[in-house]
Amino acid sequence: MVNYIWVFMTLVGFVFAMINGTMQEVNKAIFDGAKEAVTLCIGLISILVFWLGMMRIAQESGLLELLSRLFRPLVRRLFPDVPTNHPAMGYILSNMIANMFGLGNAATPLGIKAMEELKLLNGGKNSASRSMVTFLAINTASITIIPTTVIAIRMNYNSASPTEIVVPTLIATIISMLGAVMIDRYFYNRRSRKG
């Protein structure tokens, strides 16, 4: 559905540019945007490689395992219908930790694997289980301690202090995470009372 919306918006933009005679500016914007995107991506690669390397060091040193053990009691309360030693729990914890370090790109495959495992726990049904909804809410509004992508973008655009975004991001993501969990629990409890 989103693809149709993007195609529609693009077509409307082209038609509008043709009617107004601004097609030259549209072409220039397309090529300038493509050039800017490549420059931005190359700049992001260095930051992401650094933090992925740090995650690898944390994994090898046992820090990720320690963080997983630390967060396991909290995650057990959020996902009571997922068995403790089920692979879904490991993927959920790994996804949450990767998101905390601002590694959304690294967290995505872990999130997909977590959803696949949660679907298996749900009997392979195409409708979302309670755990799947909770995981999606938490994953979308995850706490971010180090917003690596935003820091990289700010560095690429020569920000005077690219890391000053860390504290506001932490506060905003804690609030969004708490809000997501409260809304998830509210609707779950409401549905439970009806059913």
Side-chain angles (χ1 to χ4, degrees):
M1 182 66 183
V2 173
N3 290 338
Y4 294 123
I5 293 170
W6 282 112
V7 168
F8 174 74
M9 288 172 52
T10 303
L11 290 175
V12 167
F14 279 125
V15 169
F16 186 78
M18 287 172 24
I19 291 170
N20 285 339
T22 56
M23 204 60 177
Q24 186 70 24
E25 287 85 354
V26 170
N27 285 334
K28 184 178 182 323
I30 288 171
F31 289 112
D32 287 348
K35 179 182 171 187
E36 185 84 13
V38 170
T39 304
L40 183 63
C41 286
I42 289 171
L44 288 175
I45 288 171
S46 60
I47 298 294
L48 289 174
V49 166
F50 171 77
W51 283 108
L52 287 171
M54 293 300 283
M55 281 290 281
R56 185 66 171 186
I57 291 168
Q59 181 183 14
E60 295 293 325
S61 69
L63 180 61
L64 289 184
E65 181 61 32
L66 178 72
L67 288 172
S68 291
R69 275 189 267 135
L70 180 71
F71 288 111
R72 192 172 294 274
L74 172 67
V75 174
R76 284 286 315 129
R77 293 185 65 112
L78 291 170
F79 301 95
D81 45 344
V82 177
T84 306
N85 294 323
H86 195 276
M89 191 61 75
Y91 287 123
I92 289 168
L93 283 162
S94 298
N95 174 272
M96 290 174 73
I97 291 168
N99 275 325
M100 280 185 197
F101 290 108
L103 299 171
N105 294 338
T108 300
L110 298 168
I112 291 170
K113 290 298 290 179
M115 278 296 195
E116 287 173 355
E117 292 294 333
L118 290 172
K119 184 175 181 178
L120 289 175
L121 276 175
N122 195 28
K125 298 176 190 166
N126 286 328
S127 59
S129 67
R130 171 190 180 192
S131 294
M132 292 169 86
V133 172
T134 301
F135 178 65
L136 184 62
I138 289 171
N139 188 38
T140 304
S142 64
I143 294 175
T144 303
I145 298 170
I146 305 166
T148 54
T149 306
V150 177
I151 291 170
I153 291 169
R154 290 172 59 90
M155 287 172 68
N156 279 341
Y157 287 100
N158 301 319
S159 172
S161 180
T163 58
E164 71 183 5
I165 193 76
V166 171
V167 173
T169 299
L170 182 60
I171 293 168
T173 56
I174 287 172
I175 292 168
S176 70
M177 172 85 150
L178 291 173
V181 170
M182 288 189 319
I183 290 169
D184 174 64
R185 289 301 181 242
Y186 169 77
F187 282 107
Y188 174 74
N189 290 334
R190 187 173 166 198
R191 196 173 94 198
S192 297
R193 276 186 250 126
K194 286 183 179 178

PDB file of all heavy atoms in Angstrom, residues 145-178:
ATOM      1  N   ILE A 145      20.245   4.437  23.581  1.00  0.00           N
ATOM      2  CA  ILE A 145      21.255   5.073  24.413  1.00  0.00           C
ATOM      3  C   ILE A 145      22.220   5.882  23.540  1.00  0.00           C
ATOM      4  O   ILE A 145      22.568   7.005  23.854  1.00  0.00           O
ATOM      5  CB  ILE A 145      22.032   4.016  25.239  1.00  0.00           C
ATOM      6  CG1 ILE A 145      21.071   3.280  26.176  1.00  0.00           C
ATOM      7  CG2 ILE A 145      23.173   4.660  26.020  1.00  0.00           C
ATOM      8  CD1 ILE A 145      21.655   2.067  26.848  1.00  0.00           C
ATOM      9  N   ILE A 146      22.639   5.282  22.433  1.00  0.00           N
ATOM     10  CA  ILE A 146      23.587   5.942  21.528  1.00  0.00           C
ATOM     11  C   ILE A 146      22.965   5.977  20.128  1.00  0.00           C
ATOM     12  O   ILE A 146      22.969   4.977  19.429  1.00  0.00           O
ATOM     13  CB  ILE A 146      24.930   5.184  21.488  1.00  0.00           C
ATOM     14  CG1 ILE A 146      25.497   5.033  22.900  1.00  0.00           C
ATOM     15  CG2 ILE A 146      25.926   5.902  20.578  1.00  0.00           C
ATOM     16  CD1 ILE A 146      26.620   4.047  23.006  1.00  0.00           C
ATOM     17  N   PRO A 147      22.420   7.134  19.711  1.00  0.00           N
ATOM     18  CA  PRO A 147      21.803   7.235  18.377  1.00  0.00           C
ATOM     19  C   PRO A 147      22.862   7.370  17.282  1.00  0.00           C
ATOM     20  O   PRO A 147      23.134   8.451  16.779  1.00  0.00           O
ATOM     21  CB  PRO A 147      20.929   8.485  18.493  1.00  0.00           C
ATOM     22  CG  PRO A 147      21.629   9.328  19.503  1.00  0.00           C
ATOM     23  CD  PRO A 147      22.289   8.374  20.466  1.00  0.00           C
ATOM     24  N   THR A 148      23.479   6.251  16.909  1.00  0.00           N
ATOM     25  CA  THR A 148      24.629   6.279  16.002  1.00  0.00           C
ATOM     26  C   THR A 148      24.308   6.903  14.649  1.00  0.00           C
ATOM     27  O   THR A 148      25.113   7.671  14.123  1.00  0.00           O
ATOM     28  CB  THR A 148      25.185   4.865  15.789  1.00  0.00           C
ATOM     29  OG1 THR A 148      24.131   4.010  15.346  1.00  0.00           O
ATOM     30  CG2 THR A 148      25.778   4.318  17.054  1.00  0.00           C
ATOM     31  N   THR A 149      23.157   6.591  14.089  1.00  0.00           N
ATOM     32  CA  THR A 149      22.821   7.127  12.770  1.00  0.00           C
ATOM     33  C   THR A 149      22.678   8.640  12.812  1.00  0.00           C
ATOM     34  O   THR A 149      23.198   9.348  11.941  1.00  0.00           O
ATOM     35  CB  THR A 149      21.523   6.479  12.240  1.00  0.00           C
ATOM     36  OG1 THR A 149      21.678   5.057  12.263  1.00  0.00           O
ATOM     37  CG2 THR A 149      21.226   6.925  10.826  1.00  0.00           C
ATOM     38  N   VAL A 150      22.005   9.160  13.823  1.00  0.00           N
ATOM     39  CA  VAL A 150      21.815  10.607  13.940  1.00  0.00           C
ATOM     40  C   VAL A 150      23.154  11.297  14.191  1.00  0.00           C
ATOM     41  O   VAL A 150      23.430  12.355  13.611  1.00  0.00           O
ATOM     42  CB  VAL A 150      20.801  10.939  15.055  1.00  0.00           C
ATOM     43  CG1 VAL A 150      20.656  12.434  15.241  1.00  0.00           C
ATOM     44  CG2 VAL A 150      19.454  10.317  14.757  1.00  0.00           C
ATOM     45  N   ILE A 151      23.996  10.687  15.009  1.00  0.00           N
ATOM     46  CA  ILE A 151      25.321  11.261  15.253  1.00  0.00           C
ATOM     47  C   ILE A 151      26.113  11.304  13.947  1.00  0.00           C
ATOM     48  O   ILE A 151      26.770  12.305  13.635  1.00  0.00           O
ATOM     49  CB  ILE A 151      26.078  10.468  16.338  1.00  0.00           C
ATOM     50  CG1 ILE A 151      25.409  10.667  17.705  1.00  0.00           C
ATOM     51  CG2 ILE A 151      27.550  10.882  16.402  1.00  0.00           C
ATOM     52  CD1 ILE A 151      25.932   9.758  18.795  1.00  0.00           C
ATOM     53  N   ALA A 152      26.046  10.229  13.165  1.00  0.00           N
ATOM     54  CA  ALA A 152      26.766  10.188  11.890  1.00  0.00           C
ATOM     55  C   ALA A 152      26.261  11.266  10.932  1.00  0.00           C
ATOM     56  O   ALA A 152      27.058  11.931  10.266  1.00  0.00           O
ATOM     57  CB  ALA A 152      26.621   8.810  11.255  1.00  0.00           C
ATOM     58  N   ILE A 153      24.955  11.445  10.868  1.00  0.00           N
ATOM     59  CA  ILE A 153      24.393  12.479   9.992  1.00  0.00           C
ATOM     60  C   ILE A 153      24.855  13.858  10.448  1.00  0.00           C
ATOM     61  O   ILE A 153      25.259  14.700   9.636  1.00  0.00           O
ATOM     62  CB  ILE A 153      22.853  12.383   9.953  1.00  0.00           C
ATOM     63  CG1 ILE A 153      22.417  11.114   9.222  1.00  0.00           C
ATOM     64  CG2 ILE A 153      22.240  13.616   9.291  1.00  0.00           C
ATOM     65  CD1 ILE A 153      20.948  10.787   9.354  1.00  0.00           C
ATOM     66  N   ARG A 154      24.818  14.087  11.750  1.00  0.00           N
ATOM     67  CA  ARG A 154      25.254  15.390  12.275  1.00  0.00           C
ATOM     68  C   ARG A 154      26.742  15.613  11.998  1.00  0.00           C
ATOM     69  O   ARG A 154      27.157  16.733  11.697  1.00  0.00           O
ATOM     70  CB  ARG A 154      24.946  15.485  13.771  1.00  0.00           C
ATOM     71  CG  ARG A 154      23.442  15.588  14.052  1.00  0.00           C
ATOM     72  CD  ARG A 154      23.134  15.486  15.535  1.00  0.00           C
ATOM     73  NE  ARG A 154      23.788  16.500  16.319  1.00  0.00           N
ATOM     74  CZ  ARG A 154      23.263  17.698  16.594  1.00  0.00           C
ATOM     75  NH1 ARG A 154      22.073  18.013  16.134  1.00  0.00           N
ATOM     76  NH2 ARG A 154      23.926  18.560  17.339  1.00  0.00           N
ATOM     77  N   MET A 155      27.546  14.565  12.071  1.00  0.00           N
ATOM     78  CA  MET A 155      28.967  14.691  11.755  1.00  0.00           C
ATOM     79  C   MET A 155      29.160  15.019  10.275  1.00  0.00           C
ATOM     80  O   MET A 155      30.013  15.842   9.927  1.00  0.00           O
ATOM     81  CB  MET A 155      29.710  13.405  12.123  1.00  0.00           C
ATOM     82  CG  MET A 155      29.889  13.222  13.613  1.00  0.00           C
ATOM     83  SD  MET A 155      30.559  11.617  14.059  1.00  0.00           S
ATOM     84  CE  MET A 155      32.204  11.718  13.401  1.00  0.00           C
ATOM     85  N   ASN A 156      28.383  14.361   9.401  1.00  0.00           N
ATOM     86  CA  ASN A 156      28.490  14.615   7.959  1.00  0.00           C
ATOM     87  C   ASN A 156      28.152  16.048   7.602  1.00  0.00           C
ATOM     88  O   ASN A 156      28.675  16.582   6.629  1.00  0.00           O
ATOM     89  CB  ASN A 156      27.582  13.666   7.173  1.00  0.00           C
ATOM     90  CG  ASN A 156      28.207  12.311   6.990  1.00  0.00           C
ATOM     91  OD1 ASN A 156      29.410  12.155   7.128  1.00  0.00           O
ATOM     92  ND2 ASN A 156      27.389  11.326   6.702  1.00  0.00           N
ATOM     93  N   TYR A 157      27.272  16.663   8.364  1.00  0.00           N
ATOM     94  CA  TYR A 157      26.877  18.040   8.085  1.00  0.00           C
ATOM     95  C   TYR A 157      27.602  19.038   8.982  1.00  0.00           C
ATOM     96  O   TYR A 157      27.141  20.148   9.197  1.00  0.00           O
ATOM     97  CB  TYR A 157      25.361  18.185   8.193  1.00  0.00           C
ATOM     98  CG  TYR A 157      24.660  17.537   7.024  1.00  0.00           C
ATOM     99  CD1 TYR A 157      24.103  16.275   7.153  1.00  0.00           C
ATOM    100  CD2 TYR A 157      24.607  18.172   5.800  1.00  0.00           C
ATOM    101  CE1 TYR A 157      23.491  15.660   6.073  1.00  0.00           C
ATOM    102  CE2 TYR A 157      23.991  17.565   4.713  1.00  0.00           C
ATOM    103  CZ  TYR A 157      23.435  16.309   4.856  1.00  0.00           C
ATOM    104  OH  TYR A 157      22.842  15.708   3.782  1.00  0.00           O
ATOM    105  N   ASN A 158      28.765  18.604   9.506  1.00  0.00           N
ATOM    106  CA  ASN A 158      29.672  19.467  10.269  1.00  0.00           C
ATOM    107  C   ASN A 158      29.023  20.137  11.476  1.00  0.00           C
ATOM    108  O   ASN A 158      29.223  21.322  11.731  1.00  0.00           O
ATOM    109  CB  ASN A 158      30.298  20.523   9.350  1.00  0.00           C
ATOM    110  CG  ASN A 158      31.064  19.885   8.212  1.00  0.00           C
ATOM    111  OD1 ASN A 158      31.756  18.897   8.413  1.00  0.00           O
ATOM    112  ND2 ASN A 158      30.920  20.433   7.022  1.00  0.00           N
ATOM    113  N   SER A 159      28.259  19.379  12.225  1.00  0.00           N
ATOM    114  CA  SER A 159      27.672  19.897  13.452  1.00  0.00           C
ATOM    115  C   SER A 159      28.780  20.253  14.446  1.00  0.00           C
ATOM    116  O   SER A 159      29.785  19.535  14.551  1.00  0.00           O
ATOM    117  CB  SER A 159      26.748  18.843  14.067  1.00  0.00           C
ATOM    118  OG  SER A 159      26.317  19.231  15.340  1.00  0.00           O
ATOM    119  N   ALA A 160      28.614  21.340  15.153  1.00  0.00           N
ATOM    120  CA  ALA A 160      29.607  21.754  16.147  1.00  0.00           C
ATOM    121  C   ALA A 160      29.703  20.734  17.280  1.00  0.00           C
ATOM    122  O   ALA A 160      30.770  20.513  17.841  1.00  0.00           O
ATOM    123  CB  ALA A 160      29.240  23.123  16.707  1.00  0.00           C
ATOM    124  N   SER A 161      28.579  20.100  17.615  1.00  0.00           N
ATOM    125  CA  SER A 161      28.565  19.098  18.681  1.00  0.00           C
ATOM    126  C   SER A 161      27.609  17.964  18.281  1.00  0.00           C
ATOM    127  O   SER A 161      26.446  17.953  18.691  1.00  0.00           O
ATOM    128  CB  SER A 161      28.125  19.740  19.992  1.00  0.00           C
ATOM    129  OG  SER A 161      28.104  18.781  21.011  1.00  0.00           O
ATOM    130  N   PRO A 162      28.104  17.019  17.480  1.00  0.00           N
ATOM    131  CA  PRO A 162      27.210  15.976  16.963  1.00  0.00           C
ATOM    132  C   PRO A 162      26.627  15.061  18.040  1.00  0.00           C
ATOM    133  O   PRO A 162      25.565  14.489  17.844  1.00  0.00           O
ATOM    134  CB  PRO A 162      28.086  15.188  16.001  1.00  0.00           C
ATOM    135  CG  PRO A 162      29.477  15.577  16.281  1.00  0.00           C
ATOM    136  CD  PRO A 162      29.459  16.893  16.974  1.00  0.00           C
ATOM    137  N   THR A 163      27.270  14.962  19.190  1.00  0.00           N
ATOM    138  CA  THR A 163      26.778  14.048  20.227  1.00  0.00           C
ATOM    139  C   THR A 163      25.830  14.694  21.232  1.00  0.00           C
ATOM    140  O   THR A 163      25.358  14.023  22.142  1.00  0.00           O
ATOM    141  CB  THR A 163      27.955  13.419  20.991  1.00  0.00           C
ATOM    142  OG1 THR A 163      28.742  14.464  21.552  1.00  0.00           O
ATOM    143  CG2 THR A 163      28.805  12.550  20.083  1.00  0.00           C
ATOM    144  N   GLU A 164      25.542  15.985  21.073  1.00  0.00           N
ATOM    145  CA  GLU A 164      24.633  16.631  22.024  1.00  0.00           C
ATOM    146  C   GLU A 164      23.211  16.084  21.912  1.00  0.00           C
ATOM    147  O   GLU A 164      22.372  16.372  22.757  1.00  0.00           O
ATOM    148  CB  GLU A 164      24.650  18.141  21.855  1.00  0.00           C
ATOM    149  CG  GLU A 164      23.988  18.644  20.605  1.00  0.00           C
ATOM    150  CD  GLU A 164      24.088  20.153  20.438  1.00  0.00           C
ATOM    151  OE1 GLU A 164      24.747  20.821  21.233  1.00  0.00           O
ATOM    152  OE2 GLU A 164      23.496  20.652  19.483  1.00  0.00           O
ATOM    153  N   ILE A 165      22.949  15.273  20.923  1.00  0.00           N
ATOM    154  CA  ILE A 165      21.632  14.673  20.712  1.00  0.00           C
ATOM    155  C   ILE A 165      21.407  13.457  21.629  1.00  0.00           C
ATOM    156  O   ILE A 165      20.285  12.985  21.780  1.00  0.00           O
ATOM    157  CB  ILE A 165      21.467  14.284  19.218  1.00  0.00           C
ATOM    158  CG1 ILE A 165      20.027  13.956  18.868  1.00  0.00           C
ATOM    159  CG2 ILE A 165      22.338  13.104  18.855  1.00  0.00           C
ATOM    160  CD1 ILE A 165      19.157  15.153  18.736  1.00  0.00           C
ATOM    161  N   VAL A 166      22.459  12.972  22.275  1.00  0.00           N
ATOM    162  CA  VAL A 166      22.368  11.733  23.055  1.00  0.00           C
ATOM    163  C   VAL A 166      21.351  11.835  24.197  1.00  0.00           C
ATOM    164  O   VAL A 166      20.457  10.991  24.318  1.00  0.00           O
ATOM    165  CB  VAL A 166      23.760  11.312  23.589  1.00  0.00           C
ATOM    166  CG1 VAL A 166      23.647  10.155  24.569  1.00  0.00           C
ATOM    167  CG2 VAL A 166      24.674  10.941  22.435  1.00  0.00           C
ATOM    168  N   VAL A 167      21.460  12.839  25.047  1.00  0.00           N
ATOM    169  CA  VAL A 167      20.554  12.952  26.203  1.00  0.00           C
ATOM    170  C   VAL A 167      19.104  13.186  25.767  1.00  0.00           C
ATOM    171  O   VAL A 167      18.201  12.489  26.249  1.00  0.00           O
ATOM    172  CB  VAL A 167      21.036  14.031  27.191  1.00  0.00           C
ATOM    173  CG1 VAL A 167      20.020  14.263  28.299  1.00  0.00           C
ATOM    174  CG2 VAL A 167      22.386  13.635  27.789  1.00  0.00           C
ATOM    175  N   PRO A 168      18.825  14.129  24.844  1.00  0.00           N
ATOM    176  CA  PRO A 168      17.431  14.287  24.409  1.00  0.00           C
ATOM    177  C   PRO A 168      16.865  13.019  23.767  1.00  0.00           C
ATOM    178  O   PRO A 168      15.697  12.685  23.974  1.00  0.00           O
ATOM    179  CB  PRO A 168      17.488  15.428  23.385  1.00  0.00           C
ATOM    180  CG  PRO A 168      18.728  16.175  23.694  1.00  0.00           C
ATOM    181  CD  PRO A 168      19.683  15.178  24.275  1.00  0.00           C
ATOM    182  N   THR A 169      17.707  12.305  23.019  1.00  0.00           N
ATOM    183  CA  THR A 169      17.248  11.054  22.400  1.00  0.00           C
ATOM    184  C   THR A 169      16.922  10.019  23.465  1.00  0.00           C
ATOM    185  O   THR A 169      15.904   9.328  23.377  1.00  0.00           O
ATOM    186  CB  THR A 169      18.322  10.502  21.439  1.00  0.00           C
ATOM    187  OG1 THR A 169      18.556  11.456  20.403  1.00  0.00           O
ATOM    188  CG2 THR A 169      17.899   9.192  20.819  1.00  0.00           C
ATOM    189  N   LEU A 170      17.767   9.907  24.469  1.00  0.00           N
ATOM    190  CA  LEU A 170      17.530   8.952  25.557  1.00  0.00           C
ATOM    191  C   LEU A 170      16.217   9.269  26.273  1.00  0.00           C
ATOM    192  O   LEU A 170      15.389   8.380  26.504  1.00  0.00           O
ATOM    193  CB  LEU A 170      18.701   8.963  26.535  1.00  0.00           C
ATOM    194  CG  LEU A 170      18.613   7.984  27.700  1.00  0.00           C
ATOM    195  CD1 LEU A 170      18.524   6.552  27.197  1.00  0.00           C
ATOM    196  CD2 LEU A 170      19.813   8.152  28.615  1.00  0.00           C
ATOM    197  N   ILE A 171      16.001  10.537  26.590  1.00  0.00           N
ATOM    198  CA  ILE A 171      14.760  10.937  27.278  1.00  0.00           C
ATOM    199  C   ILE A 171      13.540  10.656  26.400  1.00  0.00           C
ATOM    200  O   ILE A 171      12.557  10.063  26.857  1.00  0.00           O
ATOM    201  CB  ILE A 171      14.820  12.427  27.674  1.00  0.00           C
ATOM    202  CG1 ILE A 171      15.893  12.640  28.754  1.00  0.00           C
ATOM    203  CG2 ILE A 171      13.465  12.928  28.162  1.00  0.00           C
ATOM    204  CD1 ILE A 171      16.245  14.092  29.005  1.00  0.00           C
ATOM    205  N   ALA A 172      13.628  11.056  25.131  1.00  0.00           N
ATOM    206  CA  ALA A 172      12.493  10.852  24.219  1.00  0.00           C
ATOM    207  C   ALA A 172      12.186   9.373  24.010  1.00  0.00           C
ATOM    208  O   ALA A 172      11.018   8.973  23.999  1.00  0.00           O
ATOM    209  CB  ALA A 172      12.778  11.525  22.873  1.00  0.00           C
ATOM    210  N   THR A 173      13.230   8.544  23.885  1.00  0.00           N
ATOM    211  CA  THR A 173      12.975   7.124  23.637  1.00  0.00           C
ATOM    212  C   THR A 173      12.494   6.396  24.886  1.00  0.00           C
ATOM    213  O   THR A 173      11.723   5.442  24.781  1.00  0.00           O
ATOM    214  CB  THR A 173      14.220   6.430  23.047  1.00  0.00           C
ATOM    215  OG1 THR A 173      15.339   6.612  23.922  1.00  0.00           O
ATOM    216  CG2 THR A 173      14.546   6.969  21.669  1.00  0.00           C
ATOM    217  N   ILE A 174      12.917   6.841  26.067  1.00  0.00           N
ATOM    218  CA  ILE A 174      12.378   6.248  27.307  1.00  0.00           C
ATOM    219  C   ILE A 174      10.891   6.552  27.408  1.00  0.00           C
ATOM    220  O   ILE A 174      10.079   5.670  27.712  1.00  0.00           O
ATOM    221  CB  ILE A 174      13.140   6.764  28.548  1.00  0.00           C
ATOM    222  CG1 ILE A 174      14.530   6.142  28.614  1.00  0.00           C
ATOM    223  CG2 ILE A 174      12.366   6.476  29.830  1.00  0.00           C
ATOM    224  CD1 ILE A 174      15.438   6.732  29.688  1.00  0.00           C
ATOM    225  N   ILE A 175      10.519   7.806  27.122  1.00  0.00           N
ATOM    226  CA  ILE A 175       9.097   8.185  27.167  1.00  0.00           C
ATOM    227  C   ILE A 175       8.300   7.411  26.122  1.00  0.00           C
ATOM    228  O   ILE A 175       7.210   6.900  26.410  1.00  0.00           O
ATOM    229  CB  ILE A 175       8.941   9.712  26.992  1.00  0.00           C
ATOM    230  CG1 ILE A 175       9.506  10.439  28.222  1.00  0.00           C
ATOM    231  CG2 ILE A 175       7.489  10.102  26.757  1.00  0.00           C
ATOM    232  CD1 ILE A 175       9.666  11.934  28.050  1.00  0.00           C
ATOM    233  N   SER A 176       8.850   7.296  24.898  1.00  0.00           N
ATOM    234  CA  SER A 176       8.116   6.575  23.848  1.00  0.00           C
ATOM    235  C   SER A 176       7.979   5.095  24.189  1.00  0.00           C
ATOM    236  O   SER A 176       6.936   4.493  23.950  1.00  0.00           O
ATOM    237  CB  SER A 176       8.789   6.754  22.477  1.00  0.00           C
ATOM    238  OG  SER A 176      10.021   6.077  22.417  1.00  0.00           O
ATOM    239  N   MET A 177       9.021   4.514  24.782  1.00  0.00           N
ATOM    240  CA  MET A 177       8.960   3.102  25.166  1.00  0.00           C
ATOM    241  C   MET A 177       7.919   2.884  26.262  1.00  0.00           C
ATOM    242  O   MET A 177       7.113   1.952  26.189  1.00  0.00           O
ATOM    243  CB  MET A 177      10.337   2.662  25.661  1.00  0.00           C
ATOM    244  CG  MET A 177      10.366   1.294  26.256  1.00  0.00           C
ATOM    245  SD  MET A 177      10.573   0.068  24.998  1.00  0.00           S
ATOM    246  CE  MET A 177      11.425  -1.167  25.929  1.00  0.00           C
ATOM    247  N   LEU A 178       7.924   3.736  27.278  1.00  0.00           N
ATOM    248  CA  LEU A 178       6.928   3.620  28.350  1.00  0.00           C
ATOM    249  C   LEU A 178       5.518   3.794  27.791  1.00  0.00           C
ATOM    250  O   LEU A 178       4.599   3.053  28.156  1.00  0.00           O
ATOM    251  CB  LEU A 178       7.202   4.640  29.456  1.00  0.00           C
ATOM    252  CG  LEU A 178       8.456   4.397  30.295  1.00  0.00           C
ATOM    253  CD1 LEU A 178       8.699   5.570  31.233  1.00  0.00           C
ATOM    254  CD2 LEU A 178       8.348   3.097  31.068  1.00  0.00           C
TER     255      LEU A 178
END
